[in-house]
């Protein structure tokens, strides 16, 4: 039953399983951030939204006994945070990045404040689908236990990719993101579009938080998020604001995050903390490799302050 | 006080021309005091509503906060001790901010500064104490300076967003510290809480005479004064302010923007590293996970509240140190979670940022408009 039974094959298998498990919050947060950034704003506060979403989902699941109600509540809480960010940023000279930092602190603070009584009780988890049922090897079964949210995230990234290209709403978001003036000339109000885009982005980040507390790691603690909300922002840049790219990048990050535990499961304990830092190092390397001082990033929304 | 002088009623008393120069002088400067102060009050008022909503008394809360932060000599000293690292952590945000950079990863520089200082302190044990303490300070500043200087260099030479890279580097720094403290630098005697070997007593930094506050407070205040002189009174500071206003304009003027950015960010990181060194040499006695106590994050709030003015950082850091210090008492006396203080800080932070929108909007702060009613419209 132990990992040595399938030898070193356990490592790639554990990484695959880990990539699926760890990547889900990245998928939702990065898709949300992609929508927000496509509209020309950046919301760094998604980290706080993620933590608050995790707490809300867990608290509601404990109180009602339904993880799905918890998920819904987290999405609603995320929506509120997003709308708040979107509303406050419309005032002249209010910096969207700085407001994001403030919301990061505020969201975490509120989550810790209200989450204190929920550290102890156990909430029902979101269900997973056992795709590994055909195998007798427990490692394979564990790796292919796929949560429903992962599948929803995968479908959502395809839908968003299609919607950005082919729907009126997708076009409106892109126009507003590329040029406020062009949008105004078309009779669109950029502030309203950004408000809605940030709201939807916040709701998706809330769902990502719900996954953290209701499935993996599956409990509410004050250390539930280790910067996923923030890495997602970097990930969106890497994915060139393309939802399909976000999905692929999230898988890559999930795999990097699973590296440490996977190696530990086969007995490699040296440098555990450095492997733990692998996703951050990977993010940084990718940012260095894909940024350039002389040309603007391909596919970058023109109004985005982070690329100006 | 200041705000009543600058209030809208005053100018009318003097007619269209011939305002006393002193009044104009005060009015021009009042904006920088009145708006943040008003924002602080609004933030605290909103927090009162929050406390009312959870069924507690805001009056009791602020009274407890005052008592825990500044009510007695004991609590004042506690607040001042907490203000010491905040001063340096806030400089790590404020200095790059003058160049237009939003660096929020000071926590990483604090952690590595502490580890670097502890490693040097242990390695040099046996040497005279002033040499060791000096070397620890240099090591702490170097570790923090390299860390945040790299953020500046990546920003300028690779156009990597400094906000995200600095925060990623903070996570990496904490992982690095855990690795070092649990591995090569670990003191075998530290069982529950992995730490480096404890510093000998002669290498520890003591208290300011007559106070239960370590010398780090003096170091922090000096660092703020030096930073203010650097920004306001030297040609480097002048160049930095130009680059912060408009990078293109600075480059057209022939300013070496690259070295300026790397230099300022490295100095900023150096100050944060010094905060880590002081935590090790004056408080903890060794480097361990307590270094990541969140000073770097509270420092962000301090810097924004002070509007990145190094002199304003001094009172703001003491205020925030006091709020921090009162957290325990609030928890015990009012049965509120320790995160209460975080919620207050978050609210104040948001209101302070929102208040940016009010600068330049009030006629009272702009004597030019007192004499020229025709200019009132159309000055955005």
């Amino acid at each position: 039953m132990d990992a040595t039974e399938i030898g070193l094959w356990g490592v790639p298998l554990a990484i695959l399983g880990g990539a699926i498990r760890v990547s889900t919050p990245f998928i939702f947060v990065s898709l949300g951030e992609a929508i927000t950034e496509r509209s020309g704003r950046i919301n760094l506060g998604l980290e706080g939204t993620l933590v608050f979403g995790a707490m809300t989902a867990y608290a509601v699941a404990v109180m009602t006994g339904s993880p799905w109600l918890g998920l819904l509540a987290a999405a609603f809480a995320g929506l509120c945070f997003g709308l708040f960010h979107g509303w406050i940023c419309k005032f002249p000279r209010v910096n969207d990045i700085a407001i994001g930092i403030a919301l990061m602190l505020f969201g975490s603070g509120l989550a810790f404040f209200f989450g204190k009584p929920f550290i102890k009780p156990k909430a029902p988890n979101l269900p997973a689908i056992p795709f590994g049922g055909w195998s007798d090897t427990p490692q394979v079964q564990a790796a292919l236990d796929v949560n429903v949210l992962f599948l929803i995230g995968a479908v959502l990234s395809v839908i968003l990719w299609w919607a950005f290209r082919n729907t009126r709403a997708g076009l409106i978001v892109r126009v507003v993101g590329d040029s406020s003036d062009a949008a105004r000339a078309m009779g669109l109000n950029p502030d309203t579009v950004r408000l809605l885009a940030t709201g939807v982005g916040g709701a998706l980040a809330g769902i990502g938080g719900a996954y953290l507390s209701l499935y993996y790691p599956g409990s509410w603690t004050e250390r539930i998020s280790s910067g996923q909300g923030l890495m997602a922002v970097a990930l969106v840049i890497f994915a060139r604001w393309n939802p399909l790219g976000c999905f692929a990048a999230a898988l890559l990050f999930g795999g990097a995050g699973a590296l440490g535990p996977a190696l530990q499961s086969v007995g490699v304990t040296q440098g555990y903390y450095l492997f733990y830092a692998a996703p951050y190092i990977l993010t940084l390397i990718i940012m260095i490799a894909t940024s350039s001082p002389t040309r603007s990033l391909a596919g970058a929304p023109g109004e985005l302050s982070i690329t100006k | 006080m200041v705000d009543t002088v600058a209030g809208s009623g005053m100018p009318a008393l003097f007619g269209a021309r011939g305002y006393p120069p002193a009044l104009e002088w005060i009015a021009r400067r009042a904006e920088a005091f009145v708006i943040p102060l008003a924002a602080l009050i609004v933030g605290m008022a909103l927090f009162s509503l929050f406390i009312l909503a959870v069924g507690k008394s805001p009056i009791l809360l602020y009274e407890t906060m005052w008592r825990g932060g500044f009510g007695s000599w004991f609590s004042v000293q506690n607040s001042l001790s907490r203000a010491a690292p905040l001063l340096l952590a806030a400089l790590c945000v404020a200095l790059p901010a003058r160049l237009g950079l939003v660096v929020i990863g000071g926590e990483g520089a604090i952690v590595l500064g502490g580890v670097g200082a502890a490693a040097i302190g242990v390695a040099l044990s046996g040497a005279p104490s002033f040499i060791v303490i000096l070397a620890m300070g240099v090591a702490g500043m170097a570790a923090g300076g390299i860390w945040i200087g790299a953020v500046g260099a990546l920003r300028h030479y690779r156009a990597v967003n400094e906000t995200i890279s600095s925060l990623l580097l903070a996570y990496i720094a904490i992982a690095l510290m855990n690795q070092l403290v649990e591995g090569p630098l670990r003191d075998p005697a530290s069982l529950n809480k992995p730490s480096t070997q404890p510093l000998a007593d002669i290498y520890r930094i003591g208290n300011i005479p007559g106070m239960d506050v370590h010398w780090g407070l003096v170091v922090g205040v000096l660092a703020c004064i030096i930073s203010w002189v650097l920004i306001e009174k030297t040609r480097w500071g002048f160049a930095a302010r130009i680059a912060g206003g408009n990078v293109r304009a600075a480059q057209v003027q022939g300013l070496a923007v690259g070295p300026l950015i790397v230099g300022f960010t490295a100095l900023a990181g150096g100050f944060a590293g010094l905060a880590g060194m002081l935590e090790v040499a004056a408080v903890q006695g060794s480097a361990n996970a307590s270094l990541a106590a969140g000073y770097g994050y509270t420092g962000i709030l301090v810097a924004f509240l002070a509007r990145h003015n190094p002199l304003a950082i001094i009172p703001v850091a003491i205020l925030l140190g006091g709020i921090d210090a009162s957290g325990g008492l609030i928890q015990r006396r009012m049965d509120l979670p320790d995160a209460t203080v975080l919620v207050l800080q978050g609210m104040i932070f948001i209101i302070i940022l929102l208040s940016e929108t009010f600068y330049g909007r009030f006629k009272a702060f702009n004597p030019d408009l007192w004499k020229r009613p025709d200019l009132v419209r159309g000055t955005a």
Side-chain angles (χ1 to χ4, degrees):
Chain A
M1 290 298 276
D2 63 324
T4 50
E5 207 170 280
I6 52 169
L8 284 177
W9 280 106
V11 176
L13 200 61
I15 291 178
L16 172 73
I20 293 174
R21 259 197 316 276
V22 180
S23 65
T24 308
F26 283 123
I27 296 173
F28 280 94
V29 182
S30 65
L31 288 178
E33 184 70 18
I35 298 173
T36 307
E37 289 191 19
R38 274 281 177 111
S39 79
R41 281 230 186 98
I42 178 161
N43 183 0
L44 275 184
L46 288 190
E47 173 73 21
T49 311
L50 188 83
V51 176
F52 194 79
M55 189 282 296
T56 311
Y58 201 78
V60 171
V62 166
M63 288 188 292
T64 64
S66 160
W68 296 105
L69 280 179
L71 185 77
L72 209 64
F76 182 74
L79 178 74
C80 294
F81 270 94
L83 289 177
F84 184 63
H85 183 281
W87 171 73
I88 219 165
C89 285
K90 80 171 188 187
F91 295 100
R93 275 188 307 189
V94 173
N95 180 316
D96 53 352
I97 291 182
I99 285 287
I101 299 168
L103 278 179
M104 205 188 298
L105 295 179
F106 184 59
S108 316
L110 270 188
F112 300 163
F113 185 92
F114 290 113
K116 199 102 197 180
F118 296 101
I119 290 179
K120 285 261 169 61
K122 186 82 196 88
N125 274 6
L126 289 164
I129 301 169
F131 283 105
W134 48 270
S135 169
D136 298 327
T137 322
Q139 283 87 356
V140 175
Q141 287 177 353
L144 292 181
D145 239 7
V146 177
N147 188 273
V148 217
L149 279 186
F150 176 81
L151 302 173
I152 295 175
V155 173
L156 190 65
S157 56
V158 177
I159 293 176
L160 279 178
W161 171 77
W162 177 82
F164 270 131
R165 296 176 158 221
N166 297 309
T167 65
R168 187 178 157 75
L171 184 69
I172 288 174
V173 170
R174 278 164 52 207
V175 167
V176 168
D178 274 332
S179 163
S180 299
D181 292 339
R184 278 195 204 95
M186 285 172 64
L188 297 168
N189 182 347
D191 284 333
T192 310
V193 175
R194 288 181 186 140
L195 178 77
L196 295 175
T198 319
V200 173
L204 288 178
I207 293 175
Y211 176 90
L212 285 178
S213 62
L214 291 181
Y215 186 69
Y216 183 80
S219 64
W220 159 249
T221 66
E222 296 195 349
R223 303 183 146 262
I224 188 131
S225 164
S226 40
Q228 281 100 329
L230 206 93
M231 278 191 280
V233 178
L235 194 148
V236 173
I237 300 170
F238 169 54
R240 291 283 181 272
W241 297 272
N242 177 348
L244 288 183
C246 288
F247 180 74
L251 268 182
L252 183 69
F253 277 55
L259 193 62
L263 286 173
Q264 210 182 21
S265 72
V266 293
V268 181
T269 50
Q270 276 293 315
Y272 172 76
Y273 287 99
L274 294 184
F275 286 118
Y276 170 80
Y280 312 108
I281 298 170
L282 182 71
T283 312
L284 193 64
I285 291 173
I286 285 172
M287 281 185 72
I288 295 169
T290 55
S291 304
S292 163
T294 48
R295 58 185 161 78
S296 63
L297 296 165
E303 293 283 329
L304 205 60
S305 55
I306 206 160
T307 54
K308 268 182 189 164
Chain B
M1 283 169 9
V2 177
D3 42 347
T4 52
V5 174
S8 54
M10 229 25 202
L13 290 174
F14 288 80
R17 280 180 189 279
Y19 296 105
L23 185 64
E24 291 197 12
W25 190 92
I26 292 170
R28 280 186 203 283
R29 279 152 189 81
E31 187 176 45
F33 291 96
V34 176
I35 292 183
L37 221 58
L40 195 65
I41 291 167
V42 169
M44 288 173 74
L46 283 178
F47 184 68
S48 303
L49 294 181
F50 174 80
I51 289 300
L52 272 179
V54 297
K56 305 277 176 176
S57 154
I59 296 169
L60 181 63
L61 178 103
Y62 284 124
E63 196 242 302
T64 310
M65 203 170 260
W66 172 258
R67 189 183 289 192
F70 303 100
S72 65
W73 180 229
F74 172 81
S75 54
V76 167
Q77 294 182 112
N78 188 4
S79 303
L80 289 176
S81 301
R82 286 166 191 264
L86 287 182
L87 291 165
L88 294 162
L91 285 177
C92 187
V93 181
L95 286 178
R98 299 306 281 266
L99 277 153
L101 304 186
V102 186
V103 170
I104 59 174
E107 189 88 353
I110 292 175
V111 162
L112 285 187
V115 173
I120 290 289
V122 171
L124 291 184
S125 61
S129 66
F130 77 94
I131 291 181
V132 174
I133 291 178
L134 199 68
M136 284 169 66
V138 171
M141 284 194 84
I146 290 169
W147 210 244
I148 303 296
V151 170
L154 284 175
R155 164 72 206 200
H156 185 73
Y157 297 107
R158 292 292 315 172
V160 175
N161 179 270
E162 76 284 357
T163 313
I164 297 172
S165 73
S166 66
L167 207 49
L168 289 173
L169 277 168
Y171 285 110
I172 295 171
I174 292 170
L176 206 59
M177 174 202 61
N178 283 326
Q179 187 69 42
L180 288 171
V181 166
E182 303 222 347
L185 294 180
R186 179 168 185 172
D187 173 18
S190 61
L191 295 175
N192 307 335
K193 192 178 189 183
S195 304
T196 57
Q197 284 181 28
L199 291 172
D201 279 346
I202 51 162
Y203 302 142
R204 306 235 355 215
I205 293 175
N207 286 341
I208 301 169
M211 292 173 91
D212 194 18
V213 180
H214 63 78
W215 281 101
L217 182 68
V218 175
V219 175
V221 169
L222 279 179
C224 286
I225 295 171
I226 291 169
S227 300
W228 183 81
V229 172
L230 173 72
I231 290 174
E232 303 293 339
K233 303 288 171 195
T234 68
R235 61 194 179 91
W236 300 292
F238 184 62
R241 280 181 287 149
I242 291 176
N246 186 335
V247 176
R248 296 272 152 70
Q251 278 164 337
V252 169
Q253 293 288 321
L255 294 174
V257 175
L260 209 56
I261 285 182
V262 177
F264 263 73
T265 47
L267 182 65
F271 283 141
L274 197 58
M277 175 269 181
L278 288 167
E279 278 299 293
V280 166
V283 184
Q284 307 282 346
S286 66
N288 54 46
S290 305
L291 278 173
Y295 286 122
Y297 299 113
T298 312
I300 303 170
L301 176 57
V302 173
F304 272 92
L305 256 170
R307 300 198 79 227
H308 311 303
N309 178 338
L311 286 187
I313 283 176
I314 299 171
V316 174
I318 293 171
L319 177 71
L320 266 287
I323 293 179
D324 255 358
S326 66
L329 192 63
I330 290 171
Q331 200 180 352
R332 283 194 304 278
R333 232 181 105 184
M334 298 190 63
D335 193 28
L336 283 166
D338 46 355
T340 311
V341 169
L342 275 182
V343 177
L344 172 64
Q345 290 180 350
M347 273 189 187
I348 292 176
F349 201 166
I350 293 169
I351 302 295
I352 285 285
L353 292 174
L354 189 57
S355 75
E356 287 288 322
T357 196
F358 292 109
Y359 286 88
R361 288 236 193 138
F362 298 109
K363 192 182 157 195
F365 297 131
N366 191 343
D368 297 338
L369 299 183
W370 303 351
K371 297 164 194 167
R372 300 280 306 275
D374 52 309
L375 284 179
V376 172
R377 273 173 172 275
T379 47

